[in-house]
């Protein structure tokens, strides 16, 4: 049985969203290869047909800029705003991981989720996500574990009880 108290900070929330949105290793390789292939093709096209390729290059650069603006500016801004608006995320609560499942108790009530009801899980050095569905998850910041009780004990329990680990 692992017990701890959690208060989700804005940084915890952002770390959880970043982990959730992080593409799998296979998708990161695909994006890299796509970039390595497309950039030389655009440069070659620009050298062959200056008029049409300039427009294509501008459209491609515009699309790349739009993706960067979306993921580096707009999405973080909206997620921070969502965290500030969702007051229930700010309240501390007690959490327990045991052989039956996850139990939580806080100012707004109590809840119990059986291990069998979790879809998958994912982790990095800062966060553990327990998925109830593809886009619905519980957040456990790794910082909540006492120095004598590292997250290894929690990870071992989760590995035994949750069906699969999501690729990250």
């Amino acid at each position: 049985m692992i017990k701890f108290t959690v208060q989700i900070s804005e940084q915890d929330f952002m770390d959880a969203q970043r982990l959730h949105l992080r593409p799998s290793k296979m998708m990161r390789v695909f994006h890299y290869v796509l970039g390595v292939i497309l950039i030389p093709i655009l440069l070659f096209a620009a050298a062959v047909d200056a008029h049409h390729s300039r427009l294509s290059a501008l459209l491609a650069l515009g699309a790349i800029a739009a993706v960067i603006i979306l993921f580096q500016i707009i999405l973080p801004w909206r997620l921070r705003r969502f965290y500030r608006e969702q007051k229930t995320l700010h309240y501390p609560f007690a959490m327990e991981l045991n052989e039956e499942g996850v139990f939580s108790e806080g100012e707004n009530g109590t809840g119990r989720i059986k291990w069998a009801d979790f879809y998958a899980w994912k982790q990095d050095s800062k966060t553990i996500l327990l998925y109830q569905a593809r886009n619905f998850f519980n957040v456990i910041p790794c910082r909540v574990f006492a120095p004598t009780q590292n997250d290894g004990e929690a990870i071992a329990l989760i590995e035994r009880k949750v069906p699969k680990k999501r690729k990250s």
Side-chain angles (χ1 to χ4, degrees):
M1 173 182 349
I2 304 163
K3 290 183 177 185
F4 48 89
T5 301
V6 181
Q7 184 167 8
I8 304 293
S9 69
E10 185 174 296
Q11 188 59 51
D12 294 330
F13 183 77
M14 296 301 291
D15 290 341
Q17 295 299 328
R18 208 168 282 117
L19 176 58
H20 171 64
L21 293 172
R22 186 173 68 194
S24 67
K25 288 177 185 169
M26 185 63 126
M27 284 306 293
R28 288 193 301 260
V29 168
F30 174 74
H31 292 149
Y32 176 77
V33 169
L34 190 63
V36 167
I37 292 170
L38 282 181
I39 290 171
I41 289 172
L42 286 173
L43 291 173
F44 177 74
V48 173
D49 183 5
H51 176 67
H52 289 97
S53 59
R54 235 182 273 143
L55 178 62
S56 297
L58 285 174
L59 288 173
L61 289 174
I64 292 169
V67 168
I68 290 170
I69 290 168
L70 174 68
F71 282 97
Q72 299 298 319
I73 297 170
I74 296 172
L75 188 59
W77 171 75
R78 291 196 56 164
L79 289 171
R80 283 187 178 89
R81 187 175 77 176
F82 176 80
Y83 174 82
R84 288 189 295 271
E85 290 172 354
Q86 182 68 41
K87 298 301 181 197
T88 55
L89 288 173
H90 303 198
Y91 303 140
F93 59 95
M95 200 169 201
E96 178 184 319
L97 309 178
N98 60 37
E99 290 298 318
E100 287 78 48
V102 177
F103 177 75
S104 61
E105 182 175 18
E107 190 173 312
N108 290 328
T110 62
R112 181 178 303 276
I113 305 168
K114 295 179 290 189
W115 288 118
D117 293 337
F118 286 108
Y119 165 75
W121 67 285
K122 194 175 190 181
Q123 81 169 109
D124 65 8
S125 62
K126 298 177 184 176
T127 311
I128 299 169
L129 302 179
L130 295 172
Y131 286 86
Q132 294 182 50
R134 186 173 300 277
N135 287 316
F136 183 62
F137 52 85
N138 297 78
V139 177
I140 303 174
C142 291
R143 66 177 171 72
V144 302
F145 298 105
T148 57
Q149 173 195 30
N150 65 21
D151 63 348
E153 189 179 345
I155 296 301
L157 180 61
I158 292 167
E159 283 178 333
R160 278 197 334 268
K161 298 293 186 174
V162 179
K164 63 179 177 177
K165 184 173 183 179
R166 284 194 63 174
K167 300 207 184 309
S168 59

